[in-house]
Amino acid sequence: MMINGTRLAVLSGEMHPWRMPVGSLWEDVFEKVRALGFNTVSFYVHWGIVEYKRGDIDFEGWRSLQPFIDAAKRTGLHLIARPGPYINAETTGGGTPGWGARVPGAWRTSNATYVDAMEGYVRRVSQILAEAQITRGGPIIMVQPENEYSYCFETPDCPVPWPQPLYMNTLQDLMREEGIVVPTISNEVVATSSNYAPGSGPGAVDIRGYDNYPLGFICNATSFWPDGALPTNYWELNHNISGGNPNSIVEMQAGAHARWGWFSSDDCADMTGSSFERVFYKNYISFSTMTMNLYMLYGGANWGGIASPATVTSYDYGGPIRESRMLDREKYSQLKLIAQFLRVSPAYYTTKPLNQYPVNAVNGSFTDNPGLAVTQLADIVGNKTVFWVLRHAAYNSLEDAEYKLQIPTSRGNYSIPTLGGSLRLNGRDSKIHVSDYEFGGNKKILYSSGEILTWQNLGSNTILVIHGFSGELHETAFLMEAVRVEVLAGDALRDSRSENGVVTINYRITDSQTVVDVGETLHVIVVNRNDAFEFWIPEPERSPAIVKSPYLIRSAVRTDATLALRGDLNQTQATIEVFAAPGVESATYNGRNVSLNKTAYGSLLFDVSTTSDLQLSLPSLQELDWKYINGLPELRPDFDDSAWPDADLVNSTNPRTPTTPTSLYSSDYGFHTGNILWRGHFTASGGEQAFNCEIQGGSAFSVSLFLDNSQLDYFTGIYNVASVNLTGQLPSVEPGSEHVITVLQDHMGLEQNYGPGGDLHKIPRGILNYNFTGSNATRVTWKLTGNLGGESYVDRVRGPLNEGGLYAERQGFHQPGVDMSSWESGSPLEGAAEPGVRFYSATFDLDIPSDLDSPIAFSFTNSTTPANYRCLLFVNGWQFGKYASNLGPQKRFPIPEGILNHRGENTVGLELWAMDPEGASLEDFFLEPVGVVETSMSEVEPLPQPVWEPRLGAY
């Protein structure tokens, strides 16, 4: 791919700005993406958030794309925009608006009602994206219309004619009409799909891409790699389908989402850890993949009602960068080794796998060990460099294997190592060896079994960094006349030889850094993999330097003789080593002058200490002055619901025709998120013995059923149960007496509409059926509520998915500044002794130094047999946690700075929904840091935190 005349591979990671609403933190994530060696970020736009009410398209505040675009441009990253209109993404409705449930006809097709529904959004978002295209000086290089649209999930019984070229054509025409000129790209859900491939006719995109999640989404077997999961023919498939288009993987598995009552984000991180990256990502490299987008590189949070029923509040995804933005997962560092190598290997950009097609002959090739597989990935333009991608033939093998690499080079055939010993491949590992590899402008590696991390020209010298696992033997040969080989530091070198214009070094990786001079201008640094993790190559275009430092280096900028470094430290003291061009006489670290010492091999060393001990003193949540109110006053006999919307629609456009006298589907009345409350008024005949109902809220939902002020039945939730039948035995009721049935149900988000023409996003939330045992004639008049205003939501700052239908939320009591003088005193750790809802609130101060990046989490603790309750967490009015005591797995809820005030007052709200007859209380609830680093990132700007004021029309 050529961008502004420069050929490159697109190394990209997925990030969704709406999952991290604090815009001033986007640049921090972008700098960490850039530090990996990546050059691009891919992002979805969420139609359902920006057009929650039909025709009311709102890209203001945290919903604005412009600050995200500006931050990418400042950081030097390209963007791939994925505006849908359908995005999937484990988000409510797959990113489509809730009002779509009322739009008849097939969605994601050329059906006129759908096209009319999505046109306004598509035009508006395209206008925004068009202004940010690279052709207009912006960072956007590609746009993806639709999402995973090349496959009808219900084949062979697809509900609509398939494929849908007219729809794809219409969608792209709308985008082009609003100014989109950069290439469009697809992401086929399976690599064999061929719909809309370039040149295929109407609806074709410019670049064919596809997704690959080889280990799937079940993270409870983190060490299990099933046979056959490693793809071996993707280059061939793409070549044949796309007519020679570059191989592009638009969603490359970087983790998986946590599931209610099942596995956590950390489980998914373990499943797709550093060994997964080494084997699978290098395998993708063997396909000459020129667009690689990791889903998710940074996941963020499903705050408020963003999630679909598929997942929990956290969208950490087990990715390389945690939800908290911390970098303590090894997979981040391993990914950096791979990306930085590709960054300095331009020959890769014009490669082709020679022995994968037309016959796949990788198994048993180019080594003396038949249990290994090697892809010969050759530069077919320069006709010199070859990348030898080696793995176990049984990719999931746990056994170590010894071998000799047997390859052709420009100087003939070699069996490597030539100076004695054998190479070794660990179980579940892969390596990229090279031959005829040019570097440094005028230097060439004849072959190297040691893997290259990077190289840089620093003045007249070239630094080459090679790495491997401790104990491994490797050999590297250079094409150069006889020169002196001298060890300046370390003990890795075993032997060397210089003959016939080839200088060979043979070395065993040790726990110490080895520096070898090969001639006057080449310095070879040999390190073990863990030490290689500490090497950073910040912005080589601006100021060539290689920096060895713990945790993170963000930038290195040279001005005259001074080198200014920006970095983060997660330890109180560190020694930092810099390899820079001659002439550097002074340096600063985060603006502080440092004292430089020069090593025997020419690098610069300096010591740094943090300004604090990186320890935080956080307030005890147990000791706060907690106040509470009854969060379910609807159970009081004098409660007035006359202002509530009537659930009186006789006809519904929902594909599931209501089986109740009037529709009891919440989306028919504009309520698409949070808890939903139903109140059914009836006059008793005297014969009613029980009330039976079927409630649907999405997988893992819960529900409580009340008659007047007594709970009749409840359901605490099961991870894969989306609807449930409840039966409440009624006390004896007098004929003619008035009663109220109250149903409190959780809304877990709307389903994702995976397939074209499907109706999954229209699956209703609400009451599907009800009746009275003993009295068929009893009539019920229903009212309902969700968030105050429904689609005309009240809090325009925090947005449409922040609030649900419970009393405290309707009143806005989750916001700061509420007058709690009339509230009761009591802590959520004391709880309630009966079923129902209590809303608790308290305030506390934080005073965290501004030079610390220290994400803080609110954490719950429960015994192995907890009471059954649910709890919503509000921080300064923002809903950032949904906790289910009986399900988990999430118990820790990181709150971004900017939502949480690190220097100032904070208001925390807890909405405790107790279901057991004995009530419920929190066993523990506390603050904890999820990382503390001294940082050089820009100061965080808090999001607006509107304070409480009486709400007009609140009921």
Side-chain angles (χ1 to χ4, degrees):
M1 180 174 293
M2 302 284 286
I3 297 179
N4 285 337
T6 301
R7 192 185 298 274
L8 84 165
V10 175
L11 303 180
S12 176
E14 190 80 12
M15 173 187 176
H16 303 151
W18 37 275
R19 281 186 158 123
M20 167 49 81
V22 184
S24 57
L25 289 173
W26 294 337
E27 190 163 335
D28 170 62
V29 177
F30 285 165
E31 287 187 336
K32 290 167 180 172
V33 173
R34 183 78 169 162
L36 277 171
F38 277 40
N39 52 35
T40 305
V41 163
S42 169
F43 69 101
Y44 279 136
V45 186
H46 197 300
W47 175 19
I49 287 177
V50 300
E51 193 180 3
Y52 197 73
K53 180 180 181 181
R54 187 165 185 173
D56 180 10
I57 300 176
D58 183 2
F59 278 101
E60 298 301 316
W62 59 268
R63 295 172 287 272
S64 175
L65 297 178
Q66 195 58 51
F68 187 79
I69 291 166
D70 292 343
K73 188 173 181 179
R74 284 194 304 271
T75 317
L77 290 171
H78 301 303
L79 292 175
I80 300 172
R82 307 208 288 165
Y86 179 80
I87 60 173
N88 208 61
E90 290 75 55
T91 187
T92 180
T96 57
W99 52 260
R102 301 193 301 272
V103 176
W107 277 50
R108 305 182 68 194
T109 71
S110 58
N111 169 48
T113 57
Y114 170 66
V115 173
D116 183 60
M118 62 90 167
E119 182 174 352
Y121 161 74
V122 171
R123 288 192 180 278
R124 181 70 190 104
V125 74
S126 297
Q127 292 166 5
I128 295 170
L129 299 177
E131 290 297 321
Q133 295 172 108
I134 195 168
T135 54
R136 302 189 189 183
I140 293 177
I141 58 172
M142 287 183 273
V143 172
Q144 179 188 295
E146 254 290 342
N147 187 75
E148 297 177 333
Y149 194 71
S150 56
Y151 181 74
C152 188
F153 283 81
E154 298 177 48
T155 300
D157 299 318
C158 192
V160 294
W162 186 251
Q164 285 273 315
L166 177 59
Y167 166 55
M168 282 293 282
N169 213 57
T170 298
L171 178 56
Q172 291 182 78
D173 282 350
L174 290 173
M175 292 178 170
R176 298 297 189 196
E177 288 170 12
E178 299 303 330
I180 297 297
V181 297
V182 295
T184 55
I185 189 169
S186 64
N187 68 323
E188 312 215 18
V189 72
V190 290
T192 55
S193 297
S194 59
N195 296 312
Y196 321 114
S200 63
V205 296
D206 298 313
I207 301 172
R208 174 189 182 267
Y210 58 92
D211 298 350
N212 189 235
Y213 292 86
L215 293 189
F217 302 95
I218 308 302
C219 305
N220 60 340
T222 57
S223 63
F224 177 62
W225 290 13
D227 293 342
L230 186 82
T232 58
N233 63 340
Y234 279 6
W235 186 90
E236 175 186 356
L237 284 172
N238 181 72
H239 181 78
N240 292 338
I241 292 171
S242 70
N245 244 224
N247 194 45
S248 300
I249 307 179
V250 181
E251 291 185 24
M252 197 163 81
Q253 184 167 21
H257 53 277
R259 301 284 184 95
W260 288 104
W262 205 349
F263 45 81
S264 70
S265 297
D266 283 339
D267 292 331
C268 296
D270 290 343
M271 182 180 78
T272 56
S274 58
S275 59
F276 171 88
E277 292 177 325
R278 290 194 302 274
V279 173
F280 283 90
Y281 295 173
K282 291 178 183 179
N283 189 56
Y284 296 139
I285 289 170
S286 80
F287 302 142
S288 189
T289 304
M290 291 301 144
T291 296
M292 292 180 271
N293 181 53
L294 270 66
Y295 193 100
M296 299 286 298
L297 184 56
Y298 172 74
N302 292 312
W303 62 277
I306 283 175
S308 78
T311 191
V312 299
T313 300
S314 175
Y315 202 66
D316 176 283
Y317 215 80
I321 303 175
R322 285 188 184 270
E323 174 189 352
S324 60
R325 298 174 293 103
M326 294 291 101
L327 303 180
D328 57 327
R329 284 180 174 149
E330 184 178 280
K331 60 189 296 182
Y332 176 89
S333 300
Q334 176 62 54
L335 184 61
K336 182 176 63 168
L337 302 187
I338 297 171
Q340 292 290 359
F341 166 62
L342 294 181
R343 187 179 183 181
V344 296
S345 302
Y348 171 73
Y349 308 155
T350 52
T351 52
K352 174 183 177 180
L354 300 185
N355 62 335
Q356 289 184 5
Y357 177 78
V359 175
N360 195 314
V362 300
N363 287 351
S365 63
F366 300 110
T367 75
D368 62 349
N369 188 329
L372 301 179
V374 179
T375 294
Q376 183 183 13
L377 187 66
D379 171 16
I380 59 173
V381 174
N383 294 314
K384 295 176 182 178
T385 302
V386 179
F387 302 88
W388 306 92
V389 186
L390 178 140
R391 60 172 171 82
H392 292 275
Y395 87 101
N396 51 2
S397 173
L398 295 169
E399 302 298 320
D400 295 350
E402 291 194 351
Y403 64 99
K404 286 184 178 291
L405 185 65
Q406 300 172 334
I407 57 172
T409 73
S410 60
R411 291 295 185 92
N413 296 331
Y414 279 83
S415 181
I416 304 161
T418 63
L419 298 182
S422 296
L423 306 180
R424 187 186 79 217
L425 181 68
N426 295 334
R428 293 194 178 174
D429 194 11
S430 175
K431 295 188 180 299
I432 300 178
H433 306 312
V434 299
S435 62
D436 292 294
Y437 179 93
E438 295 182 346
F439 71 108
N442 60 355
K443 297 178 175 63
K444 180 182 283 188
I445 294 172
L446 180 62
Y447 63 79
S448 181
S449 68
E451 292 193 275
I452 297 169
L453 168 58
T454 191
W455 59 265
Q456 290 290 321
N457 286 331
L458 303 175
S460 60
N461 295 324
T462 300
I463 304 293
L464 173 69
V465 184
I466 296 175
H467 65 94
F469 280 97
S470 287
E472 289 180 347
L473 184 142
H474 287 290
E475 192 170 279
T476 301
F478 302 93
L479 286 179
M480 57 176 61
E481 296 303 321
V483 295
R484 175 176 51 86
V485 174
E486 181 181 2
V487 177
L488 302 181
D491 57 357
L493 189 68
R494 295 177 66 248
D495 199 359
S496 65
R497 179 177 61 199
S498 180
E499 62 180 18
N500 300 323
V502 178
V503 176
T504 305
I505 58 174
N506 183 286
Y507 46 94
R508 188 176 299 279
I509 306 294
T510 67
D511 290 336
S512 62
Q513 176 174 294
T514 294
V515 181
V516 180
D517 266 9
V518 181
E520 297 297 325
T521 62
L522 176 59
H523 307 290
V524 181
I525 302 171
V526 178
V527 292
N528 64 58
R529 187 185 66 117
N530 288 353
D531 282 349
F533 290 164
E534 294 193 343
F535 279 76
W536 305 90
I537 306 91
E539 305 177 60
E541 300 85 0
R542 293 180 57 190
S543 178
I546 299 173
V547 183
K548 186 181 181 185
S549 173
Y551 198 71
L552 175 65
I553 292 291
R554 296 178 185 265
S555 65
V557 178
R558 181 170 174 176
T559 304
D560 298 326
T562 300
L563 186 66
L565 298 176
R566 291 175 56 239
D568 293 13
L569 284 176
N570 63 346
Q571 58 194 59
T572 57
Q573 293 182 327
T575 297
I576 294 177
E577 184 172 16
V578 179
F579 298 86
V584 172
E585 298 175 1
S586 62
T588 63
Y589 180 82
N590 294 344
R592 305 195 301 263
N593 292 324
V594 296
S595 178
L596 296 178
N597 295 297
K598 194 170 185 178
T599 66
Y601 47 87
S603 69
L604 303 173
L605 295 177
F606 62 90
D607 295 326
V608 291
S609 300
T610 58
T611 57
S612 71
D613 61 3
L614 302 184
Q615 302 296 313
L616 297 184
S617 177
L618 299 175
S620 168
L621 298 183
Q622 295 186 22
E623 297 175 5
L624 301 184
D625 182 18
W626 289 97
K627 299 293 183 70
Y628 75 90
I629 57 167
N630 180 6
L632 198 59
E634 291 82 0
L635 301 185
R636 294 200 314 252
D638 61 346
F639 185 82
D640 180 7
D641 63 12
S642 59
W644 286 31
D646 295 316
D648 58 359
L649 288 177
V650 176
N651 297 311
S652 173
T653 58
N654 195 283
R656 184 191 185 279
T657 301
T659 49
T660 51
T662 60
S663 170
L664 300 180
Y665 303 159
S666 65
S667 284
D668 277 348
Y669 303 94
F671 299 116
H672 315 299
T673 189
N675 292 311
I676 306 295
L677 275 167
W678 304 88
R679 282 173 60 82
H681 297 257
F682 69 94
T683 302
S685 68
E688 296 88 356
Q689 300 171 14
F691 180 77
N692 313 293
C693 58
E694 182 182 4
I695 314 295
Q696 187 160 265
S699 294
F701 89 113
S702 57
V703 59
S704 290
L705 173 65
F706 300 86
L707 175 68
D708 301 328
N709 62 355
S710 298
Q711 182 168 272
L712 300 178
D713 200 2
Y714 63 100
F715 174 66
T716 61
I718 300 175
Y719 75 95
N720 60 351
V721 174
S723 63
V724 69
N725 291 293
L726 297 182
T727 295
Q729 299 298 320
L730 303 184
S732 177
V733 291
E734 293 292 326
S737 57
E738 301 292 331
H739 299 276
V740 180
I741 293 286
T742 299
V743 177
L744 167 58
Q745 69 161 108
D746 208 346
H747 189 309
M748 304 300 289
L750 298 170
E751 302 294 340
Q752 300 173 104
N753 192 28
Y754 305 100
D759 291 322
L760 297 180
H761 66 301
K762 299 180 181 180
I763 291 175
R765 302 293 183 244
I767 302 174
L768 304 184
N769 294 290
Y770 69 88
N771 64 70
F772 287 93
T773 300
S775 179
N776 292 329
T778 302
R779 295 184 58 191
V780 182
T781 302
W782 289 95
K783 287 178 171 287
L784 84 156
T785 190
N787 63 296
L788 185 64
E791 290 168 7
S792 300
Y793 55 97
V794 175
D795 190 342
R796 301 293 293 191
V797 171
R798 297 179 181 92
L801 298 176
N802 191 60
E803 300 174 10
L806 283 167
Y807 175 75
E809 295 169 73
R810 302 196 307 267
Q811 299 295 324
F813 292 159
H814 55 291
Q815 298 176 317
V818 177
D819 179 3
M820 296 187 288
S821 59
S822 63
W823 292 22
E824 299 286 336
S825 293
S827 165
L829 288 98
E830 298 165 353
E834 66 284 325
V837 178
R838 284 188 179 181
F839 184 83
Y840 295 87
S841 185
T843 62
F844 63 91
D845 292 331
L846 290 176
D847 186 16
I848 297 173
S850 59
D851 63 347
L852 295 185
D853 183 13
S854 51
I856 306 298
F858 289 78
S859 295
F860 296 82
T861 298
N862 264 332
S863 65
T864 55
T865 56
N868 290 297
Y869 67 88
R870 299 218 162 176
C871 199
L872 293 183
L873 169 66
F874 293 89
V875 179
N876 295 320
W878 296 78
Q879 186 196 140
F880 251 82
K882 178 186 283 190
Y883 175 62
S885 67
N886 65 313
L887 292 178
Q890 187 176 1
K891 296 181 180 181
R892 174 190 288 177
F893 297 85
I895 311 299
E897 184 179 357
I899 299 291
L900 186 68
N901 298 320
H902 279 207
R903 286 164 294 283
E905 185 177 80
N906 293 277
T907 299
V908 56
L910 284 177
E911 203 160 38
L912 178 64
W913 172 9
M915 292 174 235
D916 291 337
E918 302 81 13
S921 62
L922 277 59
E923 293 193 18
D924 202 359
F925 182 53
F926 55 95
L927 294 173
E928 62 175 328
V930 291
V932 182
V933 300
E934 187 172 272
T935 185
S936 59
M937 74 180 191
S938 301
E939 188 169 347
V940 178
E941 298 178 13
L943 283 180
Q945 298 171 0
V947 299
W948 179 81
E949 57 184 27
R951 290 182 165 184
L952 183 65
Y955 45 77

